[in-house]
Amino acid sequence: MNATASSNEAVSTRIFRALMAVFCIAVLLFLITPVIAVIPLSFNAEPYLTYPLAGVSLRWYATVFTSDNWLHALKSSLIVATATTLIATPLGTFAAFGLMQLGSRTRRIVTGLLLLPLAVPAVVVALALYISFSRVGLANSYAGLIIAHTALATPFVVVTVSATLASFDYTLLRAAASLGSGPIRTFRRVVLPLIRPGVISGGLFAFITSWDDVIIALFIAGPQQRTLPRQMFSGLREQLDPSIMVVATLMIAVSVVLALLVFVAKRKSPA
Amino acid sequence: MTQAAIIASDMPPASPAADRSGRRKRRNALLLVLPLLIFTLVSFVAPIVIMLARGVSEPEITRLLPLSRGPLATWDGTALPSDDTLAAVIADLAAAQRQRQAATIAKRLAAIRSDLRQPLLAAARAAATPPGLTPEGLLALDTVWRDPASWRALAELAQPFTDRYLLQTLDLTRNASGEIVSVPDNQAIFLAALGRTFGIGLAVTLITLVLGYPLAYFICQQSPGLQRFMLLFVLLPFWTSVLVRTAAWLVVLQTNGLVNDTLMALHVIGEPLKLVYTRSGTILGMVHIQLPFTLLPIYSVMQTISPVYVRAARSLGATPTAAFWRVYVPQTLPGVAAGCLLTFILCLGYYITPAILGGPADQMLSYYVAYYLNNEINWSMAAAVSTVLLVLTILFYIAYSWFTDPTAKATR
């Protein structure tokens, strides 16, 4: 009697485990399928976005790479994301390094302030910047877009570099100072090599923040500064054809490459 | 605590020289933070403050009424304004008409009292046409100008600060005698939008929890290699842009999309379901984007939970179900709270996904910010809606930091 009860329990446990596994695999597939599904559609020979594919061709890639609109958008995106990365990375890195050396109370307050852009909804930031920028002539300009993206990107740099600095050995600073090295030289020769993985990850985060942004671009970019996501957003609402899937595929590829680079940078981290 | 802080606290403030070097170190540290601090203040904090101010003011209207602003503000609001005040109004309207801005004033005035648009345009035209308009002429132009209530509306418009946009975001307005009342039903849209924003946010949060909690638990049970492989499925979409994922759902959910085709092939449905431009499409897309945000904090808490507690409960006679619910689950609650609050907060600000996957009846608060900026060209109203969104987000972030900050927990 006891034996049957426990074997019943074992059977029901096994059934439950199996159902659980099926459920979880289904959720994993739910996560990955839509992202994967767009890729083959970009190679469709016909102007449809349906399976099965009518044939495989590169015609939509040719369309995108000969279209003035898309090429201009690609150029805008690269300009803005590169400039954002180049400005946000040093700003965030120096700030993170300075923050670590502040008293704990000052540090908490200042960090909170610096991370504020992470907490505010994108639409709120976009409207605030649009209203302010149009007063000083920065709306509809590359400079305005780069400043806006930099404001959103620096918190990621601060967080990433701070995480690397948490394991930094501060006696090294005193050692360098006692050997006669000035603060700038110490930073370049001692600090930077040790926190480089964090700085690289931070820079990659800054790049992806700018590269993926739609809402800020939607509000404050003029027709001249249409970025790739901005152009894609209009395309999605106007006419949906496989060239949008080409751009989506390219954007997925960029995300994957950047994610891999972050992963590699972390692997190389001494911590 | 960082090593530097420990070292610093170990060192007694012995000599004045050491004290001076400590101060210099702190000054250097501040110098490193300063560039970003200034940048954040100028290009983020100041714009937010300007936007908040914009939600309670309308500088372009106030600027168009330079002469009448003062007299209208001091007018007692009962009898008709004095001839001097009327003359000032006439001068402002004539100037506005010449700058082709009379329509701007008329439009905003109509938002306070809709029947005043045409009379104001007529008055501005008459004021700018030689030989101009006398105060008596203005009063004779239309019966509305002999009603003090019309002048109260204009006086309200001329004020430098106003609460009417913030009131409007709560479907409230001021009646003729200045009391706060509900707007007519056909103009009430914001409480519904607010409710919808909360409703969609709540639905997405709950669904991500129901999908994410078992999945996080399942991943934790696997070998480290398999865990990494499964996390790849979570992180790859996480790294892909929101727009790309929304576009993917648009394609997958369309009439002849993957979902409909599969369900048709399996004979689950007889004809394609309408999934795009619907509430369910919006929620589905948002669940997909938010699932990693809910799952990852839960997963990281689960990884720190030692199996000994459940084992102890089992050895004391608890059934597996009881051990799970009464011993395991309570230990994961900090992760659940952090993940769910984060997802809920992020949901409040959604714009892209409802704009692409939803219909007109599925738009959330952010949509109205864009709508008032681009379609109505009413920056103050856009700023007021934005203010509501900002305040809500900050309130929930305070709750979030209370759940996730270890120092807050210690005092609880």
Side-chain angles (χ1 to χ4, degrees), chain A residues 3-25:
Chain A
T4 22
S6 71
S7 93
N8 269 346
E9 195 180 291
V11 168
S12 68
T13 309
R14 218 172 305 149
I15 292 175
F16 178 78
R17 287 243 169 100
L19 285 176
M20 171 94 169
V22 169
F23 174 81
C24 290
I25 291 166

Side-chain angles (χ1 to χ4, degrees), chain B residues 76-119:
Chain B
D76 65 1
T78 49
L80 286 174
S82 69
D83 279 0
D84 289 344
T85 310
L86 295 179
V89 171
I90 292 166
D92 280 344
L93 288 181
Q97 175 74 14
R98 278 191 290 271
Q99 295 167 38
R100 299 177 187 279
Q101 292 290 336
T104 314
I105 304 178
K107 192 177 167 194
R108 291 291 184 267
L109 187 61
I112 301 175
R113 262 201 42 198
S114 52
D115 60 328
L116 290 178
R117 182 198 295 261
Q118 290 310 327

Side-chain angles (χ1 to χ4, degrees), chain B residues 175-412:
Chain B
N175 64 13
S177 47
E179 292 152 351
I180 294 174
V181 293
S182 296
V183 298
D185 278 349
N186 60 353
Q187 289 170 29
I189 50 170
F190 287 104
L191 289 183
L194 207 61
R196 193 158 56 232
T197 305
F198 275 117
I200 292 177
L202 215 55
V204 171
T205 308
L206 284 178
I207 298 172
T208 57
L209 180 63
V210 168
L211 299 180
Y213 193 93
L215 182 56
Y217 183 72
F218 183 69
I219 296 177
C220 273
Q221 306 295 305
Q222 311 304 318
S223 67
L226 207 51
Q227 283 199 20
R228 266 200 295 279
F229 177 71
M230 287 181 166
L231 278 181
L232 203 66
F233 281 64
V234 180
L235 292 177
L236 179 72
F238 190 55
W239 267 89
T240 310
S241 95
V242 169
L243 181 67
V244 167
R245 282 189 278 166
T246 304
W249 279 107
L250 183 65
V251 170
V252 169
L253 292 178
Q254 61 182 322
T255 317
N256 297 312
L258 208 54
V259 170
N260 269 320
D261 278 1
T262 310
L263 291 178
M264 297 266 281
L266 295 172
H267 296 286
V268 178
I269 49 172
E271 51 191 78
L273 298 172
K274 182 170 165 48
L275 294 169
V276 286
Y277 314 124
T278 62
R279 182 72 53 92
S280 23
T282 309
I283 291 179
L284 199 58
M286 286 174 68
V287 165
H288 184 251
I289 294 163
Q290 286 304 129
L291 185 50
F293 287 95
T294 310
L295 182 144
L296 291 171
I298 298 176
Y299 171 74
S300 59
V301 168
M302 282 178 174
Q303 273 195 313
T304 65
I305 294 176
S306 157
V308 297
Y309 300 108
V310 171
R311 246 182 264 146
R314 292 279 285 133
S315 76
L316 291 172
T319 63
T321 321
F324 179 75
W325 285 107
R326 298 191 42 200
V327 178
Y328 187 78
V329 172
Q331 295 180 79
T332 62
L333 286 183
V336 172
C340 286
L341 265 169
L342 186 61
T343 281
F344 185 74
I345 293 168
L346 291 173
C347 281
L348 292 179
Y350 259 67
Y351 172 67
I352 300 295
T353 308
I356 290 173
L357 291 176
D362 307 313
Q363 300 306 318
M364 301 168 68
L365 271 185
S366 288
Y367 164 83
Y368 293 90
V369 177
Y371 173 78
Y372 278 101
L373 180 69
N374 299 322
N375 298 41
E376 296 279 322
I377 326 282
N378 186 342
W379 292 12
S380 295
M381 191 63 211
V385 180
S386 187
T387 303
V388 172
L389 188 55
L390 181 64
V391 169
L392 285 175
T393 309
I394 288 173
L395 287 180
F396 283 102
Y397 256 111
I398 292 171
Y400 174 76
S401 64
W402 194 72
F403 270 108
T404 53
D405 185 3
T407 55
K409 228 172 270 165
T411 57
R412 194 156 55 189

Side-chain angles (χ1 to χ4, degrees), chain A residues 20 24 30-31 34 38 41 49-50 94 98 113 117 119 121 123-124 127-130 132 134 174 212 219 229 236 245 255-256, chain B residues 4 7 29 32-33 37 43-44 47 214 218 236-237 239 241 243 248-249 251 254 256 288 356 369 373 379 382 386 393 397:
Chain A
M20 171 94 169
C24 290
F30 161 77
L31 278 168
V38 301
L41 290 175
L49 292 168
T50 52
F94 289 136
L113 195 72
V123 166
V124 176
L127 178 74
L129 292 178
Y130 179 75
S132 314
S134 49
R174 293 207 284 157
D212 282 348
F219 277 61
L236 284 173
M245 295 300 108
S255 302
V256 170
Chain B
I7 291 163
L32 285 168
V33 179
L37 194 60
S43 61
F44 180 79
F218 183 69
L236 179 72
W239 267 89
S241 95
L243 181 67
W249 279 107
V251 170
Q254 61 182 322
N256 297 312
H288 184 251
I356 290 173
V369 177
L373 180 69
W379 292 12
S386 187
T393 309
Y397 256 111

Side-chain angles (χ1 to χ4, degrees), chain B residues 6-55:
Chain B
I6 295 165
I7 291 163
S9 63
D10 280 351
M11 287 196 318
S15 61
D19 208 31
R20 213 177 308 135
S21 94
R23 214 178 303 141
R24 194 170 61 217
K25 216 183 88 191
R26 225 165 305 146
R27 203 194 57 208
N28 282 344
L30 214 55
L31 275 179
L32 285 168
V33 179
L34 214 55
L36 181 56
L37 194 60
I38 293 171
F39 179 83
T40 307
L41 288 176
V42 170
S43 61
F44 180 79
V45 177
I48 295 279
V49 172
I50 290 171
M51 183 210 78
L52 293 175
R54 184 71 207 207

